[in-house]
Amino acid sequence: MPARPCPCGLPAPYDDCCGRFHRGEAAAATAEQLMRSRFSAFAVGDAAYLLRTWQPAGRPARLDLDRRLRWTRLEVLGATGGSVVHTEGTVRFRAHYVERGRPGEMEEHSRFVRLDGRWVYAGAI
């Protein structure tokens, strides 16, 4: 049976791509990698990972994912900073989904910061 492709859109199996972040075996090296892994967490329903990778100051106490949404595709539209040498970065993306059989999309320009050496989501710009 072929490996399940990663929802983030990179050409790697989920287990080798974002799955390793979700399982806590590795940490995202860049802001874009964290954003992709967070999209994948929405796609696979991993609310715990989303909370762990959210800046504590803006993080909700709990996160209930909408099971009616099926996240289907991610487009990265641009990024600033966010590399292995930066402490801040932004990523602009478009996320595609299906809700009750109807396709939809949402676009966000997200801000990421390093906290204790790890990238975290700091909110939408």
Side-chain angles (χ1 to χ4, degrees):
M1 176 148 93
R4 171 172 61 153
C6 194
C8 82
L10 292 177
Y14 168 74
D15 284 340
D16 298 334
C17 194
C18 294
R20 63 195 170 109
F21 302 132
H22 297 169
R23 293 187 305 272
E25 297 170 1
T30 67
E32 182 178 328
Q33 201 173 43
L34 179 65
M35 187 279 306
R36 286 180 179 278
S37 71
R38 287 177 56 83
F39 173 82
S40 290
F42 276 104
V44 301
D46 191 342
Y49 179 78
L50 293 164
L51 289 170
R52 276 195 317 273
T53 58
W54 205 316
Q55 186 177 35
R59 178 176 55 213
R62 61 180 271 179
L63 184 62
D64 296 318
L65 299 178
D66 187 346
R67 302 292 181 194
R68 296 173 296 181
L69 290 179
R70 184 172 50 86
W71 297 97
T72 59
R73 186 167 60 94
L74 176 67
E75 293 176 81
V76 175
L77 306 173
T80 62
S83 77
V84 295
V85 298
H86 292 104
T87 57
E88 293 188 16
T90 68
V91 180
R92 198 167 58 85
F93 66 92
R94 183 176 301 124
H96 298 263
Y97 62 86
V98 174
E99 181 180 20
R100 297 180 185 176
R102 291 194 167 135
E105 60 185 48
M106 61 94 45
E107 197 169 308
E108 182 174 301
H109 192 180
S110 299
R111 182 171 165 262
F112 298 88
V113 297
R114 278 195 195 267
L115 185 64
D116 298 326
R118 292 183 178 254
W119 285 106
V120 293
Y121 172 71
I125 296 175

